[in-house]
Every structure is written in structure tokens, then in C-alpha cells.
Amino acid sequence: MKLSEELTWRGLVNQTTYKGIQALDGDPITFYWGVDPSADSMTIGNLAAAMMVKCFIKHGHKPVLLVGGATGLIGDPDGKTQERGLQPVEEIAKNKQAIVGQYQRIFGEHSFVLQDNYDWFKGLEYLDFLRDIGKHVPMRQMLGRDFVQTRLREDGAGISYAEFSYVLIQAYDFLHLFQELGVTLQVCGSDQWGNSIAGVDLIRRKTGGEAHVYSSPLVVNQVTGQKFGKTEAGAVWLDPAKTSAYQFFQYWLNVDDEGVEGYLKVFTELDNAKIDEIMRVFQSHRGERLPQKTLAYEVTGLVHGQEQADKVKRVSEVLFGGKDFLELSDVEVKILSQELPLVKAEGNLVQIIVAAGLAVSNTEANRFITEGAISVNDQKATPDDSPPFKPGSNLLKRGRNNFAIVQND
């Protein structure tokens, strides 16, 4: 399968300045993709673009990965209705290191050139920048951006010169990489199309050279129509300190049936034959949720490593797949203990159920026991005062989806 064919099959085609995406099937192209360190982690929205980058690499194109140490100091205003707050330089520096670490995790098996745009902006003189770069950027182009028009309306929040100039800074990135590293293509998500086109135009005006942009569509939840990757708790992060590996796995495990085939194509490197087989099985045995289980395991392995994916998979199978809690390792029990209520085995079973938050009162806890809704280590509890807890950690369960860990020292 050629790159143009794979991008089409995976649903990663949006806009490009090429006359046709078949141009990507030719000789190796040096291209770049960048992320601003506005936070100390990427999200799964960034991951979708990263998977597109991996397609380019797999087909022989040469990647330059940019971390926006300079652009991160300003912040991209596109899509924002209010002025961003400026982050301290020290925080941006910390965020850069975190993003680089995630680059290394995701692209570790591939060779890539790492760049930080702060390296070429930190010594740039303001007057030189205005004469050499600003002179080649038309105001009409900058004023025509949708977000600028929105912010400048009478009821808009306004826009500072700093945020207004963001597009010019990113355009210069493309020019610099074009001149220094021979980069002729920027790849991006569709939300970065305007910023990227500005770089193409600057290269043409400044050097007479030809450069291009290729963008992928934003991934959309097929049920809600909203941007994919948002939860009630906020964004789904790649950093386990912000979204734990267990929570990350559960997010993918619970995606909708309508969109899961598309998510497999975007967020995994499984080929069409494998995904077709998974979906064929799914049509006959929908309750087994094979696509979601495969997706969760594959993406967690990519982001958190195979060993961690194996652990959270086993933990998930204990909670939702009937596997034995007592067979979990100490590390896997610790994973669960960080996600579920943790209580001591003090008092009778009714009191422990209430302490764990699985019932609001002793009366309700007694009713749950009598109805057979309470189990300990997957064994139904009986209406007596002798909790059937084993030494160490125990899994207390109410119904299908309510859990706690009971520590019996």
C-alpha cells in the first residue's frame, strides 16, 4: 500500500497544497511536525497527528520533530476567544523536556531530527526580524484569519500584538527549517492549516522556493459530534501523572461502537487485514467488544509501554472480565488501589461496605447483601457478620461496576 492509499484508508486526508496526495508516493521528503509546550504533556489529539507522522516515516520520508520553545512562550491564539495567560519561562522549559520524552516514547524506533524553535529565536534581533521577515508578510493575510476577525469584533475580547504575531513566528519556523535542513513539507492537524500556509507563503516570497502543507482532519466522536479526546474530567493526556495508564486504557475500552473502526485506523498501526478481521468478529459477537479491547491494548502499549499495557489489561479483566483478583501481582493490585476506594477491614461487612462508599447506610448495605449484589474476591457475600476477607488486599464489588479495595492486615 502506497502512502497516499494508506492515508486515505486510515481517514487521515484533509487538505494539502499538493495538486494531489499521490505526490507523497515519490522520492523521500524531509518534513516537520511540531507541538507547542503549553502543557507538560501531549493529549490524544496530538497523538492522532503523531500517528499520521508515523505513516510518513514508515513510507520513507524524513522527519524533523519540533518542540515550540519560542511559540510556547506566546501561545497559539487560533480557536481561542480570550487572550492566553503567559506561562513562565521556567515552566515552558520543563514542559519542553516532557514533550521531548513523549516524542522519544512514540517515535523511539525511528530516527528523527529534534529541533527547538527557541534556539533560533533567542538571538534574533527585533529590527532584523521586521526587515527580513515582517516585510514579506502581508497584513491582509494576517487580518483575514477567522480568529482575528472574531476577536476584533465589537463584542470580541480583542487581541494583543503578541498573539497577533504568533502566525508570523510559526511561519518563520518553516522558513528556517527550509533553509537550514531542507524541509519542504509541514504536516499538521486541520486546526493548524492557516498557520502552516503562512509558512508556505513566506518561503515563496522570501526565497522563491516551493514548500507544501499536508493536514489531517481532527478526530470527531461519532456519537456526539464533538472533538475526540475530551471527558468530564477534561483532556485525555499521554502523561500517566495526568491520566493514569489505567484511566487511559479504560477511556479506549469505552469508546463508542460507531467510531471504533475509525479509531483503530487512526490510533494504531494495525493493517487493513487485521482491522477487517477484528470488525468481522465484532459483527457476530458485539458483546465481546473485541475492537475496543484491541484498541485499548494497542494504544496503551504505544504510549505507556507494553509491560504497563499488560498490567492494566489484567487489572481490567479482573474488574470486568471475570478474572481472579487474587492472581494479580502486588504491582497490579497497587494500580487498582490508586484508582478505587481503599478501606481497612475494620468492623463487620455492612460497616465496610458503607465505609467504602458502596452503600449510603447500613440498611442499604444489608439490602445489597441480601439481594446478592455484594461479592468479595468474586465470591457472593452472605448475610452474616463475618467478612470473608483473606489476608492482604481484597476486591469488594457491588453489582457490575462498583468496586473498592479492602486491606485486611
Side-chain angles (χ1 to χ4, degrees), residues 9-69:
W9 172 71
R10 291 191 183 276
L12 294 173
V13 178
N14 185 58
Q15 288 178 282
T16 183
T17 53
Y18 289 114
K19 291 181 180 179
I21 63 172
Q22 291 74 21
L24 300 172
D25 299 330
D27 295 334
I29 299 167
T30 302
F31 71 97
Y32 95 95
W33 175 65
V35 173
D36 274 354
S38 53
D40 58 359
S41 175
M42 292 190 282
T43 68
I44 62 172
N46 301 121
L47 182 62
M51 298 307 290
M52 172 186 65
V53 170
K54 295 191 83 170
C55 286
F56 276 76
I57 297 172
K58 183 173 68 176
H59 287 272
H61 299 305
K62 301 175 181 178
V64 174
L65 301 183
L66 178 74
V67 57

Side-chain angles (χ1 to χ4, degrees), residues 211-227:
H212 292 278
V213 177
Y214 180 91
S215 71
S216 62
L218 296 180
V219 181
V220 175
N221 184 303
Q222 297 299 307
V223 174
T224 65
Q226 301 299 309
K227 183 178 177 182

Side-chain angles (χ1 to χ4, degrees), residues 83 88 109 119 168 198 214 219 223 265 342 355 397:
E83 187 84 9
E109 75 275 26
D119 290 340
L168 195 152
Y214 180 91
V219 181
V223 174
K265 292 176 179 179
L342 180 64
K397 181 178 179 181

Side-chain angles (χ1 to χ4, degrees), residues 105 297 299-312:
R105 165 73 79 179
Y297 183 71
V299 184
T300 304
L302 171 70
V303 173
H304 297 291
Q306 212 60 57
E307 182 180 352
Q308 192 72 356
D310 289 335
K311 289 174 183 175
V312 294

